[in-house]
Structures are given as structure tokens and as C-alpha cells.
Amino acid sequence: LSPVCLGSLRRAANKEEMQKLARKALANSPQIIIDKSLRGWKELEYEVVRDCYDNCVTVCNMENLDPLGIHTGDSIVIAPSQTLTNIEYYHAR
């Protein structure tokens, strides 16, 4: 869980830590946003080429090595992906 206050992001490891961060944030602001963290998720992309007749072919899949949330243009990308398990790969297809 991630309480966000006045543009600053804090991550809580458990409910008690989240409550402590929320109290601190509410002392400085009338409202906060609490959102689920996506830490540990993988960011994948597929390169697809389409012609003028709407025929499509998937060229490759790519994996961002930087943490989720880093803009793709600023991220290191590996093609094809290297850390997906077979199950993850088939689920993504």
C-alpha cells in the first residue's frame, strides 16, 4: 500500500506502517490517496507490425529491466524477454 501526499510517495510494508504514514500525511494535508503498490511486477511490450490491409505480425516481445513505472523511453529494454517463465510467456500471448 502506498499513501501519497502532496506529490510524495511513501511505501508501506504492512498495515501498521501504512496507518502510521497515513496519520503523518493527514497531519499535513486534508486528503491522501492510498493505492496498491505494483512493486515486483514485470513490464512487457510486444512489437507488432500492421500493413494497410490490417494484417498483423508480432515481431518480438520485450521486457523492461528497470522497475515498473520508469518511462519506456528512459528504460533499458531487452528483446526478446529473458526473465519470463514459460507459463508467464504463454499467459502474455
Side-chain angles (χ1 to χ4, degrees):
L1 297 175
S2 303
V4 180
C5 174
L6 301 174
S8 64
L9 175 65
R10 303 285 186 258
R11 289 194 178 104
N14 55 49
K15 183 178 177 180
E16 292 76 25
E17 190 175 330
M18 194 272 306
Q19 289 173 336
K20 180 180 175 183
L21 288 171
R23 278 193 293 276
K24 185 175 180 181
L26 287 169
N28 297 307
S29 176
Q31 64 182 7
I32 60 172
I33 297 171
I34 298 177
D35 206 349
K36 183 176 180 179
S37 174
L38 299 178
R39 178 184 279 177
W41 285 37
K42 295 180 181 181
E43 188 171 358
L44 305 173
E45 298 178 41
Y46 279 81
E47 189 70 30
V48 178
V49 177
R50 180 171 54 188
D51 67 13
C52 62
Y53 302 106
D54 211 25
N55 297 308
C56 299
V57 62
T58 301
V59 178
C60 67
N61 70 332
M62 298 170 279
E63 178 178 18
N64 294 31
L65 292 184
D66 296 308
L68 186 67
I70 303 296
H71 185 272
T72 300
D74 300 326
S75 181
I76 298 170
V77 179
I78 302 290
S81 61
Q82 300 294 307
T83 68
L84 292 180
T85 65
N86 283 338
I87 292 171
E88 290 170 328
Y89 176 74
Y90 285 107
H91 280 262
R93 290 177 53 189

